[in-house]
Every structure is written in C-alpha cells, then in structure tokens.
Amino acid sequence: MSHTISLALDGLSCGHCVKRVKEALEQRDDVDLAEVTQQEAQVSGQADAAALIATVEQAGYHATLKTADASPKSEPLTASEPPPEALTTETASHPAEKALPAHMLLIEGMTCASCVSRVEKALQQVTGVSQARVNLGERSALVLGNADPHQLVAAVDAAGYGAQVVDDEQERREKQQHSARRAMRRFSWQAAVALAFGVPLMIWGMVGNNMMLTDSNHTTWLALGVVTLLIMVVTGSHFYRSAWRSLRNGSATMDTLVALGTGAAWVYSFSVVLWPDFFPPQARHLYFEASVMILGLINLGHALEQRARQRSSKALERLLDLTPAQARLVDQQGDRLIPVSDVQPGMTLRLVTGDRVPVDGEIVTGEAWFDEAMLTGEAVPQSKNPGAAIFAGTLVQDGSVEFTARATGNHTTLSRIIRLVRQAQSSKPEVGRLADRISAVFVPVVVLIAMLSGAVWYLFGPQPHIAYMLVIATTVLIIACPCALGLATPMSIIAGVGRAAELGVLVRDADALQRASQIDTLVFDKTGTLTAGKPQVSEVLVWGDASRESVLATAAALEFSSGHPLAKAIVAEAKLTQPPQLAQFRTIRGKGVSGILDGRTLLLGNAALLHDSGID
C-alpha cells in the first residue's frame, strides 16, 4: 500500500545535493515519487522510513523521520522535554534520533578516516541498525537502532578491529580515560626509543657520508641492520599488525603505508648489506635510519594527536562533571546522601544553597534562585517556586527546596545535551565525507603510483635499473606514509566542536561548523545572553537628606551575608570587603532581608516586605 513519508534532511547545501538525494531515492523500486528540498523530502511509495533514511545516508547526507510534533513547542521546561533555549543543539529535525535506542561502543585499532569508514559500513550492515556514527577522536561508535549488541561487536571484529559495548556513562568515561592514558604512554616511549636511535644514526650518516656501504663499514652496518629490525619490532609492531589485519580483510589503511614504506626501506638496505655485489657502488646507499625515523615521528604524531583528543574531550567531561556524585534523599529516616545512580523517578530530594541539581525534577516546597546559564545561556539566575521544573547540572545560588525527581540517568536534559555534543563530534561535514572518499582509495593509489614509478625507472632509467627501481618505489611509499588528509579533517572537527563546547556553544552537527564560515549576520533572540553575565548596580535613588554613598554602604552591610545575586551586585558596587557588625540578620524568603546595624533595625526588600512591616 502506497504512503507518504516526510524526512528532515541535513547536510544539503546546493542544488547538486538536492538532485543527488532525489535520484538516490527515486532509484529505489519501492519509491514512486520523491520531492526534495535542502531541508526535507516528501517520499511516496511502499518503502519504510528506516530504508529511506539508509538510502539518504548512503548518498552522503543525514536524514531523520519528520513527525507531526516536530515543530518547536512553546512550553519550555517539562520533565520529558529539554528547554528550547538549551537545545541550540537539538531541534525538531532530530525526533527520530531521540526515539531510537542507542548503544555506545568503544573501538580499538582505528588510526585514520578509512578505518572510520570501514567500521561504519560494518555496523550499518547489522540488522536493526538505523544509523552508525563513529568518532575517531574518542575511538567510539554511537549506534542508533534495535540491533543486538553482540552482533555489533562481532561486525566490528570481522572488520579487523576490536569493540566492546559500554552503555553506562561512568563506565565508558573510566575506560576511555584509562585507554587514553595507556595509549599516550605507549606512543610516547615508542617515539622516544625510535628517535633516540634514529636521530644519532641519521646525523652520523650525514656528517661522514657513512650511509654508503663500503668494505670498511660492512660489519658495522650488518649489526646496525639487526638493531634497526629490533627497534622496528619494538616501536612499530602495532603498525604491522594493523596492516596485516587490513590485508586479510581486503583493504588498506594508513598503517598499510607505514608498514610498506618502513619495511621496503629496511628490506632494500639489508639486501644491500647481505649482497653488496648485486648492487653497483653508487646504489649502495642505506636507509636504516629512515625506517626508525618514520616510526618515531609517526608515533610522536600519534602521541600529540592523543593529547589533542584528550583536550577536546575535556569539554564533554566538564559537562559530565556538572552532575554531582550524590543526592540528598528525603524520606521517613530523614535526610541522607545516596549515589545519584540510585535515584529513581518519584523520590523526594532536598537542595540547599551551593548544591548542583542531581536529576531533573519539579519543586514541591521552598523557593530558590537557580543559575541555569549552562543550560539556557541566560546569565541572570532564575527564581523557582513550587511547581517549577528544575534541571540536572544547574546550580542553587540561594535558597532551599524539596523536589520530586522526574528524569534520571541518561534521560535528563543534561545527558541528552552531552549525547548531542558527542553526536556532533562524530558527524561529518561535506569536506569530511570528501576526505573519507579520498582516503578510501588513497592507499591503493599510492601503491599503484609506487609500482608505476618503479616500472618507469626500470624500463627507461639509467643503470643500474633494479637499484633505481627499488629506490624510487621505496621513496614514494615512504613520503606518502603520514596520511594527513585522513587525520587532519576528523581531528579538526573534534577540536572545533570540543572548543565550542568549552566556550558554551553547543554545535548540533559538523555541517554547521563548515557553513559557519559563510555567516555574515548573527541574530539573537534575547538580550540576556549578551550581558556580562552578572547583575550590576546602575543607579542609586535616594530620598531626603541621605547621600548615595551612605545608602549604598548601609544596603551593602545588610546584603553582605546574603547569597542572592542582586545582593552580590550591591556589595560589589559598595566595594565592601570586611563583614559589618550586623546583628540578628535573617533572610525573609521571597521578600528580602533584615538586621540590626549600629542599633538600628533595617529592612531591605520588595514592596511585599515593606507592606508587611507597615511601611508606606
């Protein structure tokens, strides 16, 4: 039976993109007609939504099912829905992602963009997978759909990589940190060992022209060749293992180039040492130092890359740290601290000044001021009363409340924002997809060029043909080792999204980063986000004979003991640094403060406070 499905599209930037998606959809036998714009597609036919989304993804773009409630809602803060102010990262074009279950996998063995492409293809072929996003920076994969976790791990293993499913956020965080530290240490010492041997060897060879094999240094080079092999095994075994796995799976990665380049250089050099008579005197140049230098520099590059990834991931870690480890439970036994992981919806929790909200909930009793800048971008703290919604990660600046937990764990607004930032790091802009397509054929093309270059020198080059052929082919393989395109593009995306998150800017998709270079106008929907981030005293109005300074000093003396945001502004304006001699200070919730200063009873607050005290 024919039906029409609406898809929200992302990543289309021109008419060519629209044409490509339209042709991809209409080539399906179960699609009758597809109307496509840069933002959406109306598809008529018998195809289901998952199949259509997969087709758009295969064309190099993103798609999600567009539902009837996809438009932004005017009710901002509910327990089941994040505030629209917060979701500069999550708009109506992603409802399908929110509805689908997700699995987080930690991937081992990925080194470049072609590895990412292979893992993504392997995961997308698993039954039930709607979408797979692989994050090279975090060495992880986010899989959306109803797939069996064991099948996901098996698919990654079959592709030549290792994987483990980690759905618990804290467990994932601990394992990633442990893996990152271990990788950093390994790359660092491997780089140090290789360079410690390679640099002196290179300098010795360059200074005395000792890279040429002669009768006088034959024994020395034989020993250095054996030592070089040991250094290569110790510092580069992971490259050779990865290259072998790729070869068994019928593919090639950056590690294949590293293995071919360093291996060819060593094999050629050791062949010269073992059979010098086969090579003319002018072709007896040795490249032992090149093998270890390449391994040392690439290991150093991996160590620096690991350091950059850890730095860019700190933005996510800071978001995770906004959630406290414990919550204050209120029950028949009184107040007691419990782990946040034990909090269940419906529990009653207490918050006091200085606490961070552990889970999303609704205030039952009390009143407090909440700093929600990390969530909404609004610098001014918000006053919350019974019935108001509060959100995990926000800070209680002043007051005390009891609230009922509504959303916990991965269902809180903060958790969804963290998940969206992670998805943004895993997403690819158009330039990233171009890099993937290039890197997929990069290694085979380089190997082909090396073979053609060697053949040309063998057929048409000067004597000795075989020596020049080996030198030229080896040189092409060596200089192509650091597959920069496959590393620079994903790392720039990770660094960009991570740095934006550090500054409080949440990016929904990497395409937004690429398109941001074309922005010439920014429009803000409210002025609160453009302030200095804290209230300031702008004017002091006095009555009678009092001076501005005396009124401000008296008000600051009263407000010194208060944690209210406006109280801090008054104290800052008065430049009061020492606590005043104030007696009987007390906070009157929702109205103001009172106290006795120099024998006088003082009140400071709103009209309700003055009315209750009989003051006109």
Side-chain angles (χ1 to χ4, degrees), residues 332-491:
Q332 296 178 350
Q333 303 175 22
D335 289 12
R336 56 191 177 93
L337 294 176
I338 63 171
V340 170
S341 57
D342 292 344
V343 176
Q344 299 296 326
M347 286 184 173
T348 300
L349 306 174
R350 188 189 305 279
L351 295 169
V352 298
T353 300
D355 284 352
R356 282 205 178 272
V357 182
V359 296
D360 292 358
E362 180 181 321
I363 294 178
V364 178
T365 61
E367 177 183 297
W369 289 79
F370 289 81
D371 181 356
E372 296 184 334
M374 51 69 59
L375 191 67
T376 65
E378 189 65 63
V380 179
Q382 305 297 304
S383 176
K384 301 276 185 165
N385 301 303
I390 56 178
F391 299 92
T394 56
L395 177 67
V396 182
Q397 282 206 343
D398 186 40
S400 175
V401 298
E402 290 184 12
F403 74 100
T404 301
R406 297 299 187 200
T408 63
N410 293 329
H411 302 290
T412 66
T413 300
L414 179 61
S415 295
R416 292 202 296 273
I417 290 177
I418 292 170
R419 185 165 63 249
L420 287 163
V421 174
R422 185 167 286 122
Q423 288 180 15
Q425 283 192 336
S426 306
S427 63
K428 294 186 181 72
E430 183 59 34
V431 66
R433 290 189 285 271
L434 175 62
D436 282 354
R437 291 194 291 271
I438 293 175
S439 64
V441 297
F442 182 81
V443 176
V445 168
V446 168
V447 173
L448 180 61
I449 292 174
M451 295 173 63
L452 289 175
S453 302
V456 169
W457 278 83
Y458 181 76
L459 296 174
F460 306 106
Q463 290 288 348
H465 297 306
I466 186 66
Y468 280 112
M469 179 195 75
L470 291 173
V471 170
I472 295 301
T474 302
T475 302
V476 173
L477 292 174
I478 290 174
I479 63 174
C481 279
C483 178
L485 179 67
L487 284 175
T489 304
M491 282 307 300

Side-chain angles (χ1 to χ4, degrees), residues 114-314:
S114 59
C115 300
V116 172
S117 179
R118 287 180 57 203
V119 173
E120 282 185 348
K121 288 179 180 178
L123 290 172
Q124 287 170 349
Q125 291 173 357
V126 176
T127 304
V129 172
S130 172
Q131 190 177 33
R133 289 184 172 183
V134 178
N135 187 329
L136 178 62
E138 291 195 330
R139 299 296 196 265
S140 64
L142 182 68
V143 184
L144 303 175
N146 295 294
D148 181 3
H150 298 292
Q151 292 183 2
L152 297 176
V153 173
V156 176
D157 288 340
Y161 303 89
Q164 56 178 318
V165 178
V166 184
D167 288 329
D168 180 72
E169 188 63 40
Q170 189 62 33
E171 182 185 1
R172 179 206 62 79
R173 185 179 181 185
E174 291 174 356
K175 287 189 175 182
Q176 278 191 326
Q177 289 176 343
H178 175 71
S179 176
R181 287 192 296 267
R182 185 178 60 190
M184 184 75 177
R185 288 194 299 267
R186 189 190 72 190
F187 288 134
S188 297
W189 74 256
Q190 286 178 332
V193 170
L195 294 177
F197 177 77
V199 171
L201 183 62
M202 181 182 67
I203 295 175
W204 176 72
M206 292 173 61
V207 170
N209 194 28
N210 294 315
M211 286 300 179
M212 300 297 294
L213 180 70
T214 63
D215 293 337
S216 61
N217 61 15
H218 182 273
T219 304
T220 301
W221 276 117
L222 183 62
L224 287 175
V226 174
V227 174
T228 300
L229 179 61
L230 294 176
I231 297 292
M232 291 169 63
V233 171
V234 170
T235 64
S237 57
H238 52 287
F239 293 118
Y240 303 115
R241 286 196 302 268
S242 176
W244 175 245
R245 284 198 305 266
S246 300
L247 182 63
R248 288 169 53 194
N249 284 278
S251 63
T253 66
M254 175 184 144
D255 289 343
T256 306
L257 282 181
V258 176
L260 284 175
T262 56
W266 185 88
V267 169
Y268 173 79
S269 300
F270 207 68
S271 298
V272 172
V273 174
L274 291 178
W275 303 289
D277 295 336
F278 178 76
F279 299 88
Q282 65 269 32
R284 296 175 185 173
H285 192 284
L286 305 178
Y287 299 93
F288 288 128
E289 93 290 352
S291 296
V292 290
M293 285 292 290
I294 287 173
L295 293 176
L297 292 173
I298 292 181
N299 277 319
L300 178 61
H302 280 321
L304 295 175
E305 175 200 352
Q306 188 73 40
R307 183 179 177 184
R309 282 203 308 269
Q310 287 177 301
R311 181 181 175 186
S312 66
S313 295
K314 285 182 180 177

